[in-house]
Amino acid sequence: MRSIPLTFCAAAVVAVTLMPASVALANSDSDHEDSRSRATLSVSPSSIAPGGEVDLEVDGCKGKEAKGNSDAFVSEARFSPGDDRTLFAEARIRSDAEPGEYDVEVVCKGDKHTKVSAVVTVVHRSRPMPLAPVRAGGGGTAVLADQAAHQEGPGTVHAVIGLALAAVAAVAVAFRSVRRRSPATD
């Protein structure tokens, strides 16, 4: 009966004894990472269609130069300095890039050649884009106009409504003509 409380007490003593060691090990790993690089890379927008442009921003580079590469880019991105320790660049996505995630790596030229990375996702366009001369105006209405032009014409519902309206008109004309022909009897 007393073995259960003793087991719990022993487990608590072991946990308290090992906790400071595990916390110290975790802190030493994070201090090592922080001393290596504090630079961050952001890609905007993070999801883009082939042929689009992304804005790259590196914050925390010690130097005023950086170069960025990705398999999704047309060419190497060269960064220009901004305010403080921020560098900016634009990169165009290859028009033949397959959908998926691509790594973006930037090397900051400075004291230690800091490397930072991020991910850009290439997606296919969700709506059709006109290729050559658009047969409609109105900007974004071109897609809607193209869909309306491909419709077959009036359907069965339209034919039934038309016949019903024609029948009502014929009955109205018949009543009016009968009323005019009958002599007025007073």
Side-chain angles (χ1 to χ4, degrees):
M1 284 274 199
R2 294 201 63 172
S3 65
I4 292 176
L6 287 175
T7 305
F8 283 125
C9 288
V13 168
V14 170
V16 169
T17 305
L18 294 179
M19 188 180 297
S22 63
V23 171
L25 289 173
N27 285 341
S28 68
D29 288 343
S30 65
D31 290 342
H32 180 65
E33 283 181 22
D34 289 344
S35 65
R36 221 177 25 195
S37 170
R38 293 183 188 248
T40 58
L41 171 64
S42 63
V43 180
S44 176
S46 61
S47 296
I48 191 161
E53 274 192 11
V54 292
D55 294 326
L56 305 170
E57 181 180 337
V58 177
D59 186 28
C61 279
K62 293 185 180 180
K64 296 200 181 259
E65 290 183 42
K67 293 180 182 177
N69 285 312
S70 176
D71 290 338
F73 293 169
V74 171
S75 63
E76 181 178 68
R78 296 193 180 265
F79 288 79
S80 58
D83 52 346
D84 295 332
R85 292 170 41 184
T86 305
L87 303 175
F88 298 97
E90 290 181 348
R92 182 167 299 280
I93 304 297
R94 291 187 347 253
S95 60
D96 62 344
E98 293 293 321
E101 292 184 349
Y102 291 87
D103 290 330
V104 178
E105 291 186 359
V106 175
V107 177
C108 300
K109 292 188 177 181
D111 297 334
K112 297 180 183 177
H113 290 296
T114 304
K115 277 188 177 182
V116 291
S117 62
V119 174
V120 64
T121 304
V122 176
V123 295
H124 276 299
R125 292 182 179 99
S126 60
R127 62 184 178 131
M129 298 297 285
L131 295 176
V134 179
R135 299 177 306 231
T141 62
V143 173
L144 299 174
D146 188 40
Q147 290 172 352
H150 290 346
Q151 290 180 353
E152 295 293 322
T156 307
V157 174
H158 294 108
V160 170
I161 291 173
L163 287 173
L165 289 174
V168 169
V171 169
V173 168
F175 278 132
R176 185 158 176 104
S177 65
V178 167
R179 212 167 148 202
R180 281 194 176 177
R181 284 190 199 164
S182 65
T185 55
D186 275 337

